[in-house]
Amino acid sequence: MGANGLANGSSSLSGSNGLNGESSKRYASYLANSNRYEAVDRMLDRRGPWTDEQFVGGSEAKAFLRQKAKILVIGAGGLGCEILQNLALTGFSDIHVIDMDTIDISNLNRQFLFRESDVGKSKALCAADFIMSRVPGVKVTPYHGKIQDHAPDFYMQFAIIIAGLDSISARRWINATLVNMVDEENEDSLKPLIDGGTEGFKGQARVILPTITSCYECSIDMLTPPTVFPVCTIANTPRLPEHCIEWASVLEWPKTFKDKKLDTDDPEHIEWLYQKATARAAMFKIEGVTWQLTQGVVKNIIPAIASTNAIIAASCCNEAFKIATTCAPYLNNYMMYTGNSSIYTYTFEHGKRDECPVCGGEASLVRISKDWTLEQLVEHLKEAQEFKLSRPSLSSESGPLFWYDPPGIYEATKGNLDKLVFDLLGPEGGAVSVTDKALPAANLSLEIQFE
């Protein structure tokens, strides 16, 4: 199905097929407050210079947008709060939101749907209650839990899905789920995914049409790798407050507490690291160690900027509005924003990756040296930006090469780690199947070739 097929689908969805009792009540509420959407109506009552040829407009588009377009928002944090607000004020009236987190006091400076009295409560439930109390006629259905707890049938009910997530693994999962849901014989099985993300003063918004455009997994190598400080620097010549904090967490904690695992969510553990890092910073005359910085370094927290959230959320909701009404062309397919030194945006079409393990039809080609051991190949799969694996288990056509789990197979295959891949696969290389908990799909197919 092509892009025009989506436009046709959106156009047909905008048709008036009758409203149920609850929708009729919401529609009556809309009519009673019709001036609320006066500015939006101007875009739906007439064609514009860039309007899609499938645009219907008028009462049918309004009825679909405000009565029948069921939209799911994944995440009710800094980005999700902005998205929920924008959707409600744009005219979407059947909104669903899912989030597994509870509200922390530190959320209140940017997640404006919450109040101090909400601390400890579910983000999804509180966000839903707040939106419904402030925007009459809008129904927000909350779900407190993980997105992985819901089967594909759950996601099939929505017209559009917007992700405001801060988790790479969750993004990879929902992306793979929506790609796997697509049935060529069922046009309604294609669910547009609008993905938004922020990192300090930077952000991105993209439109993913599963199996048509590039998916999230196609661009996994664009992710910023985590900051890693050399052990020799943090152990001998620290120059930054971050070096002192890393020294306390990486070297001093295991030295002092042996087998006790560091819990980055435990305030007492953070306090211990903060005191140790402060003392070490004083020895080297380094300033800037704070409790907040200590927590940020050990949890790899990137400061959230409210204005960035607002800009990216606005972009995501604009795309949802355009897809739902066909009043203007939607993004094709990637928008980047930077606001650290000025305000700059750039849009481009991110191409599909043929060897993408989720939407591609080809195996990923990996060229290695003939003197590589299996252990080197395993480490390469962990470190390479295009894979980002954690505990890869490998199999060839002849059977397991190396498996982390279960323990019995691990013991039987760990001896292969010291062997050359050349000896294990043969001089022509060959196909290797990889499984890993970080993979959104069932497995990753590799084609090994020797340089």
Side-chain angles (χ1 to χ4, degrees):
M1 184 176 72
N4 289 335
L6 180 70
N8 291 331
S10 298
S11 178
S12 63
L13 284 173
S14 301
S16 178
N17 296 324
L19 306 177
N20 57 33
E22 186 175 344
S23 295
S24 298
K25 292 179 181 178
R26 294 205 304 273
Y27 194 56
S29 176
Y30 153 70
L31 292 175
N33 299 276
S34 58
N35 289 336
R36 181 198 306 174
Y37 300 116
E38 182 178 358
V40 176
D41 287 347
R42 294 195 186 102
M43 292 183 284
L44 299 179
D45 283 336
R46 67 175 190 269
R47 300 183 64 86
W50 302 105
T51 302
D52 191 284
E53 61 181 15
Q54 303 296 330
F55 177 70
V56 176
S59 59
E60 289 189 7
K62 296 174 189 176
F64 172 72
L65 174 70
R66 294 160 187 164
Q67 311 308 316
K68 291 184 287 184
K70 185 180 293 188
I71 189 165
L72 173 67
V73 178
I74 303 177
L79 194 56
C81 285
E82 292 278 0
I83 291 172
L84 289 168
Q85 168 202 246
N86 292 346
L87 291 176
L89 296 178
T90 301
F92 289 94
S93 65
D94 191 359
I95 305 170
H96 298 241
V97 58
I98 181 170
D99 196 299
M100 62 179 289
D101 287 340
T102 55
I103 300 166
D104 184 78
I105 190 71
S106 62
N107 300 148
L108 303 184
N109 70 330
R110 63 194 183 281
Q111 299 176 21
F112 58 88
L113 299 183
F114 310 135
R115 300 294 181 264
E116 190 172 353
S117 58
D118 296 326
V119 171
K121 299 178 182 177
S122 165
K123 285 186 177 182
L125 270 67
C126 289
D129 289 342
F130 190 97
I131 292 293
M132 288 190 290
S133 67
R134 294 294 293 271
V135 188
V138 173
K139 178 185 178 183
V140 184
T141 304
Y143 305 89
H144 179 74
K146 299 179 180 180
I147 57 174
Q148 294 88 344
D149 293 340
H150 296 273
D153 288 346
F154 170 79
Y155 298 101
M156 193 67 76
Q157 65 182 302
F158 301 105
I160 303 169
I161 296 172
I162 303 180
L165 291 159
D166 59 2
S167 165
I168 294 174
S169 60
R171 278 189 171 97
R172 296 175 79 176
W173 187 89
I174 188 63
N175 172 76
T177 298
L178 297 183
V179 170
N180 292 332
M181 278 169 43
V182 175
D183 180 355
E184 294 183 357
E185 297 181 359
N186 179 11
E187 188 177 83
D188 291 336
S189 65
L190 192 154
K191 306 298 179 181
L193 171 63
I194 302 171
D195 178 65
T198 63
E199 185 177 289
F201 285 102
K202 300 178 182 180
Q204 55 84 20
R206 62 187 300 186
V207 173
I208 297 172
L209 306 180
T211 70
I212 297 178
T213 66
S214 64
C215 73
Y216 183 79
E217 197 73 19
C218 289
S219 59
I220 198 73
D221 58 344
M222 294 177 62
L223 298 177
T224 304
T227 302
V228 178
F229 300 108
V231 174
C232 58
T233 299
I234 65 176
N236 302 314
T237 56
R239 299 183 302 276
L240 301 172
E242 289 85 352
H243 293 163
C244 300
I245 297 169
E246 283 286 289
W247 170 84
S249 62
V250 175
L251 300 178
E252 278 302 291
W253 179 274
K255 179 180 176 182
T256 304
F257 295 101
K258 305 300 180 185
D259 297 329
K260 185 177 181 180
K261 184 179 180 180
L262 174 64
D263 184 357
T264 57
D265 291 321
D266 189 329
E268 293 184 1
H269 290 197
I270 300 297
E271 178 66 25
W272 187 92
L273 296 177
Y274 166 60
Q275 296 297 339
K276 287 292 182 180
T278 300
R280 184 166 177 80
M283 290 174 56
F284 289 87
K285 298 181 180 180
I286 298 173
E287 298 180 351
V289 176
T290 64
W291 200 95
Q292 288 78 10
L293 180 62
T294 302
Q295 184 185 48
V297 169
V298 298
K299 298 187 69 173
N300 194 30
I301 295 175
I302 299 171
I305 309 298
S307 59
T308 308
N309 285 337
I311 291 169
I312 298 303
S315 177
C316 291
C317 294
N318 276 341
E319 297 310 317
F321 181 81
K322 290 186 289 186
I323 291 174
T325 64
T326 66
C327 68
Y330 47 81
L331 178 67
N332 183 31
N333 52 32
Y334 203 115
M335 186 278 285
M336 300 179 65
Y337 162 79
T338 57
N340 48 343
S341 58
S342 63
I343 297 178
Y344 174 75
T345 61
Y346 174 69
T347 62
F348 65 96
E349 181 180 358
H350 190 287
K352 293 185 69 174
R353 189 157 58 97
D354 291 337
E355 67 275 16
C356 173
V358 173
C359 71
E362 300 179 7
S364 297
L365 180 61
V366 179
R367 292 187 174 92
I368 64 174
S369 172
K370 292 181 179 180
D371 59 2
W372 268 34
T373 64
L374 184 62
E375 185 174 16
Q376 287 177 290
L377 176 58
V378 170
E379 291 303 315
H380 171 72
L381 296 176
K382 292 180 180 180
E383 298 170 3
Q385 282 290 101
E386 66 266 33
F387 300 122
K388 289 187 177 293
L389 305 183
S390 57
R391 290 166 58 89
S393 295
L394 288 68
S395 300
S396 68
E397 294 178 354
S398 59
L401 295 173
F402 170 73
W403 285 14
Y404 273 103
D405 297 301
I409 300 183
Y410 170 78
E411 292 297 329
T413 59
K414 68 177 182 179
N416 287 340
L417 292 174
D418 295 329
K419 297 180 181 180
L420 297 178
V421 180
F422 184 86
D423 294 334
L424 292 169
L425 296 181
E428 300 299 325
V432 171
S433 178
V434 182
T435 58
D436 187 278
K437 64 179 181 180
L439 282 173
N443 58 65
L444 168 66
S445 296
L446 304 179
E447 181 65 30
I448 304 296
Q449 289 186 3
F450 297 109
E451 296 178 342

